[in-house]
Structure formats: C-alpha cells, structure tokens
Amino acid sequence: MPADQITALRHRGFRLLWMATLLSSTARWADLVVVGWLTLELTESALMVGIVAGSKMAGYIVAPFMGVAADRMDRRQLLIIAALVNWAVSLIMLLLLLFGWLTLGHVIGLALVSSLTWALDNPTRQAFVPDLVNREDLINAIALIAVATELTVVAGPALGGILIPTLGISGAYGLIAGIYLMDLVVLFLLKGVRQAIPKVHESPGRSLISGLRYVWGNQTVLVLLVIAFLLNLFGAPYRYSFLPLFARYVLDAGPTGYGMLTSMAGFGALLAGLWVVSLGNFKRKGRLLVLSGLAWPASLLLFAMSTWYYLSLALVFVAGLAQAIIWTVIATLILSNTTQPMRGRVMGLRTGVVISLPFGNFLAGAAAERFGAPVAQGAYATSAIFIMLVIVLLVPSLRRLE
C-alpha cells in the first residue's frame, strides 16, 4: 500500500493503538467462533447458540454510559481495563475446560462479563483516535482501524476453526488468552498521549442526557444511528447466529467450514477497508452508504437460498464487503459531524445501538429453531432491505452526505 494511503501510521501513538486493535480483535473473533461451536456441542440447540451470541453483546446496553466514561477518564487506562478483563475471562474458560467443569451456565455468565468489555472498548477506542492523529489524518485513521479489525475477522475465525479440530477447544482458548496478554503489553507501551480531559461538574446521568440531546438536534448523526440500530438487528446476526447453523445443518461443512465462512466475510470486509483507505477523503459518502446498505442484505437473501458451499462462500464474501463499507462510512460521518467534547458520548451511543444485535441474535436463534435457518435468514434479509428502502425514501438528503 502506498505511503500516502497510510499517513495516520506515522503517528507513534496511533501505530500502537492499531497494533492493539489487531491483537484484541483477533482474540475476540477467534472466541466468537470457538464459543459458537462449543455451544452447539454442549446443547445441539439453535436457540442456545443465539442466546450465547446475544449474551456476548448484551453489555452494549450500558455503552452510552461507557461513552460518558470515555469523555471523562484516561482512555488508555480504560482500554487496559477492558483488555485485562478479557484476558481473565479467556483464562477462566481455559481452566474450566481443562478441569472438565465447564457448563452452559459458565459459558453464558462469562459471555455476559466479556460483553461489558466490548461496550467499554469500542467507544473508548473510537474516541481515542482523534487524540492520536491530526484532523487531516482522521479519516485515514478510522479506515485503518477498520482494516485492522477486518484483518482479524479473516485471521481470528480461521484460527479458531482450524484449532478446534487440531488442538481442541482448550487449545483455542489457550491461544486466545495469550493474544489478550500481548494486547495488554502493547497498551502499556502507549504512553505520553495528550488527552484533554474536561473538568466536568455535572453527573454522569446529566452528561448522558446532554449527549442524547446533542444527537437529537443533529439530524445527520441521528439518522446514521437509526440505520446502525436497524441493520444490527436484521443484518449483523448472520455472522453470529446463522453461520454456525448453516455450516452444520445446511452445508455440512463442520467447524473448519464454519471458520472459513466467517473468514470469507472477513476477507470481503478487509478488501473493502483497504479500498476505503485508498480513496482518502472521498466525496459522495451518502450514496456509497445507501448502495452498501442495500447490497449487504441482498447478498444475505441469496445466501439463505444457497445449499452449495462454494456459492455460499462467495455470497458471504459480498456480505462482508458491503457490511464493512457501510460501518466505515457511518463511523466516518458520525465523527466528522460531531464536536470534540461530545465524541465519547456520541460514539458511546453508536456502540449502544448495537444492543439491537443481541436481540437480533436471540430472535434469530428462536426463529431458526422454529422455522429452520434458511427461512429465518431470508426473513431477516428481506426486512433489512425493506427498512433501507424506507429510510432512503423518508430521508432523501442521506444520499447527498459528503
């Protein structure tokens, strides 16, 4: 990649944050694949897969308060706390597996704990980026963070899918714990960042209310958050609840095939991230948002109809490509349309709207149990297409966002 397309990496602090993102996201995605397959082995229940996947994200309900913390506290320290808890959770999973004590209750309980670190990590990391680069490099930095995440969406699931049949689930969690430990080391190296922590005299509740009022008065940010909420409800569950079911019951692909399906989604997202990075500060972001917001569920609708493994791989690749484009564009437009004192709270709300994802996972598991995975995935994709068309018709200015 040409040097002028990775300008944000010239900043030492951002380079370290980017490396930490690679490590933490690799561990997180490997964990999602391993815990999804572990749940199937323990229960043979589509509903339980949806419940565990939903538990992994239930903490997003407190993400707006985590955003308040990101505006008030040292963001590096918050990231260290999140990484430390993630490491402890993976270590506990490893020990429970080694001693043969692991139950479904343990899986759900630890999933709920780790969901709180997701809710803390995401808004803090996003709000931290502008502290590490200048304004000219901000879009490049956001896209590079997306690239780092999607690199790991390729590596993490493939790693998890390969480790399950070779080293077993215990071996997979041993590796996950080691990666989180390396993440901690990198974050400890991230020192000397000048972060303006405002001296606030209002309560956290009032700070959150002021953030909500700010978003309510900012139509651009409000519409983007609504889109993120609805697409997390009807689009994003394909990775967490539907793919393990399709791999086992529709495509007969096993854990390695499941890892490859998830990796293909990540590979598409990686290429999308690299493409967005190469565009620089491009125009017509709104038009790209609309196109990717329709292409994503359309590819999932076709995926729901496929019973051929290699066609399914191609369709998941397209879904990952479109998903990464729309998430990157939404993050860029939100940050560029938000004032500096509000970034933590607004990104906390952006993370908070992901609370629709665990609900989507719960409903996906229940629908797949009742009607089968193909019917449930088809209904989800059709709903997402309809929602995007309605939003485009109601908010025509969305296509003109720059």
Side-chain angles (χ1 to χ4, degrees):
M1 187 181 295
D4 61 351
Q5 293 178 6
I6 53 173
T7 55
L9 288 176
R10 65 187 175 182
H11 305 277
R12 179 184 178 274
F14 180 77
R15 284 199 306 273
L16 289 171
L17 182 69
W18 193 77
M19 290 172 59
T21 302
L22 280 174
L23 292 165
S24 64
S25 191
T26 296
R28 182 170 295 165
W29 274 103
D31 181 31
L32 276 170
V33 169
V34 174
V35 81
W37 200 261
L38 172 63
T39 305
L40 265 183
E41 288 191 345
L42 287 173
T43 66
E44 293 289 339
S45 168
L47 177 60
M48 285 298 108
V49 173
I51 288 175
V52 171
S55 299
K56 274 284 185 186
M57 295 150 200
Y60 281 130
I61 197 169
V62 298
F65 291 98
M66 300 298 191
V68 172
D71 276 339
R72 290 167 170 248
M73 300 173 64
D74 187 302
R75 289 165 186 154
R76 171 178 166 270
Q77 290 182 2
L78 292 176
L79 291 175
I80 288 172
I81 290 170
L84 188 61
V85 174
N86 283 329
W87 175 71
V89 166
S90 59
L91 194 61
I92 292 170
M93 283 288 289
L94 173 61
L95 293 174
L96 289 172
L97 283 163
L98 289 175
F99 287 101
W101 297 337
L102 187 71
T103 66
L104 181 63
H106 293 132
V107 174
I108 293 174
L110 290 171
L112 288 169
V113 172
S114 64
S115 74
L116 294 173
T117 68
W118 284 35
L120 175 61
D121 183 282
N122 199 298
T124 304
R125 192 176 299 271
Q126 295 284 351
F128 201 19
V129 170
D131 294 331
L132 303 173
V133 300
N134 53 38
R135 185 173 180 82
E136 290 74 20
D137 292 329
L138 180 58
I139 292 177
N140 184 253
I142 294 169
L144 284 171
I145 287 291
V147 167
T149 301
E150 299 307 338
L151 271 170
T152 63
V153 177
V154 178
L159 199 60
I162 291 169
L163 283 174
I164 292 172
T166 54
L167 297 180
I169 292 176
S170 298
Y173 271 106
L175 181 62
I176 290 168
I179 295 172
Y180 274 129
L181 187 59
M182 289 189 287
D183 177 34
L184 269 170
V185 172
V186 173
L187 288 172
F188 276 115
L189 293 174
L190 211 170
K191 298 178 180 178
V193 178
R194 292 184 178 180
Q195 175 189 333
I197 303 176
K199 295 181 179 179
V200 291
H201 303 288
E202 60 183 1
S203 67
R206 287 185 179 274
S207 291
L208 177 58
I209 291 171
S210 67
L212 290 168
R213 286 175 177 167
Y214 178 83
V215 168
W216 186 256
N218 188 325
Q219 186 190 45
T220 298
V221 174
L222 179 62
V223 171
L224 292 170
L225 289 177
V226 169
I227 292 173
F229 178 87
L230 293 171
L231 287 182
N232 271 302
L233 181 63
F234 292 111
Y238 84 98
R239 279 190 179 182
Y240 311 101
S241 293
F242 287 120
L243 284 188
L245 302 178
F246 273 84
R248 183 156 189 164
Y249 301 119
V250 178
L251 303 172
D252 193 26
T256 303
Y258 169 40
M260 288 305 299
L261 281 168
T262 311
S263 293
M264 282 303 290
F267 185 56
L270 171 61
L271 289 185
L274 292 172
W275 178 63
V276 172
V277 168
S278 71
L279 293 178
N281 191 9
F282 63 96
K283 295 183 179 180
R284 298 183 178 179
K285 296 182 182 72
R287 185 174 299 181
L288 184 59
L289 183 148
V290 171
L291 290 175
S292 57
L294 290 170
W296 177 14
S299 62
L300 292 178
L301 182 59
L302 294 174
F303 171 75
M305 303 175 190
S306 172
T307 56
W308 184 31
Y309 178 66
Y310 293 104
L311 176 60
S312 297
L313 282 174
L315 290 170
V316 168
F317 169 83
V318 175
L321 187 91
Q323 181 182 4
I325 290 174
I326 192 168
W327 285 163
T328 303
V329 172
I330 284 176
T332 301
L333 288 172
I334 287 176
L335 277 174
S336 61
N337 284 278
T338 302
T339 58
Q340 196 278 338
M342 286 289 178
R343 281 181 185 144
R345 275 163 283 186
V346 171
M347 294 314 295
L349 291 170
R350 166 63 186 93
T351 304
V353 300
V354 182
I355 190 59
S356 61
L357 179 52
F359 284 110
N361 284 324
F362 290 143
L363 294 174
E369 186 110 325
R370 177 68 176 84
F371 303 106
V375 172
Q377 175 65 92
Y380 264 56
T382 302
S383 300
I385 292 170
F386 176 76
I387 286 166
M388 278 302 300
L389 289 173
V390 169
I391 291 175
V392 171
L393 290 173
L394 291 178
V395 191
S397 61
L398 185 65
R399 288 169 288 178
R400 297 191 293 272
L401 288 177
E402 298 291 342

